[in-house]
Amino acid sequence: MQKKVFYRINDHNIFTTVKSPKSIFFTLLFCLFFNLNNYAQTLEDCIKIKESGLAAMDKFDYAKALKDLTKAKLLAEKNNWYLQIFETKNKIGVVYMNLSDYGEALNYYLEAYIVATQHLESNKESAILNNIAVLYCLEKNTKKLRNII
């Protein structure tokens, strides 16, 4: 006898047809695996992931840094943790700047600037403007640099 079963895990709907106890086991195993991929839900988890990315950045492992910082950014955005959103976008910009991808770095700096002006203190805005100025110096773009200064 077949029975339709509905599961709701981490805002995802899962429908399955249960045929035997073996099917139930594999369905539950799938649900457990699916749930473990989204385990990081607290601010402390977000900070740990961000710090892992920063440690990788210090070791010049930019691929791992981008992976961890992006993961932390997504978690922060999901939970509206504005300081973490700001810090991760800023650091992702730094990674791209270190990779000489100035266009991508500027995009992340501008996103961080928006977060800083809308949700954080003015010192965060100043920090981003400083990073944008450094970026324009590296690009030798004196016209845009003068506008910031």
Side-chain angles (χ1 to χ4, degrees):
M1 178 176 181
Q2 292 185 355
K3 181 180 176 184
K4 273 230 175 208
V5 179
F6 170 77
Y7 298 99
R8 182 154 181 90
I9 300 173
N10 290 345
D11 299 325
H12 298 284
N13 297 327
I14 301 172
F15 291 95
T16 187
T17 303
V18 178
K19 296 180 182 175
S20 68
K22 190 186 271 188
S23 298
I24 294 171
F25 172 76
F26 286 113
T27 302
L28 291 175
L29 186 63
F30 170 77
C31 293
L32 178 64
F33 174 76
F34 192 83
N35 198 27
L36 288 177
N37 283 339
N38 298 313
Y39 75 95
Q41 298 297 315
T42 67
L43 179 59
E44 290 78 23
D45 291 330
C46 182
I47 292 170
K48 285 178 187 175
I49 295 168
K50 179 186 74 176
E51 288 173 350
S52 172
L54 296 176
M57 187 172 77
D58 289 341
K59 295 176 184 171
F60 307 103
D61 186 354
Y62 296 128
K64 180 172 176 21
L66 285 173
K67 178 181 156 240
D68 289 346
L69 290 170
T70 300
K71 191 184 296 185
K73 177 184 76 79
L74 293 173
L75 182 58
E77 288 173 339
K78 177 180 175 185
N79 291 287
N80 294 324
W81 296 324
Y82 295 112
L83 179 59
Q84 297 306 315
I85 295 169
F86 168 81
E87 289 179 355
T88 54
K89 287 183 178 194
N90 180 32
K91 293 303 181 181
I92 291 171
V94 171
V95 170
Y96 279 114
M97 187 171 67
N98 289 338
L99 292 170
S100 300
D101 189 345
Y102 300 139
E104 200 64 28
L106 181 60
N107 288 337
Y108 277 97
Y109 286 154
L110 292 174
E111 289 178 20
Y113 179 79
I114 291 168
V115 173
T117 57
Q118 292 178 353
H119 303 284
L120 302 174
E121 309 85 39
S122 62
N123 65 332
K124 302 298 183 190
E125 181 181 343
S126 300
I128 285 296
L129 289 174
N130 182 60
N131 286 352
I132 293 172
V134 169
L135 185 65
Y136 287 151
C137 283
L138 291 171
E139 287 185 317
K140 297 179 177 36
N141 192 336
T142 57
K143 185 176 182 179
K144 288 186 178 180
L145 181 60
R146 281 189 220 133
N147 290 337
I148 289 182
I149 296 173

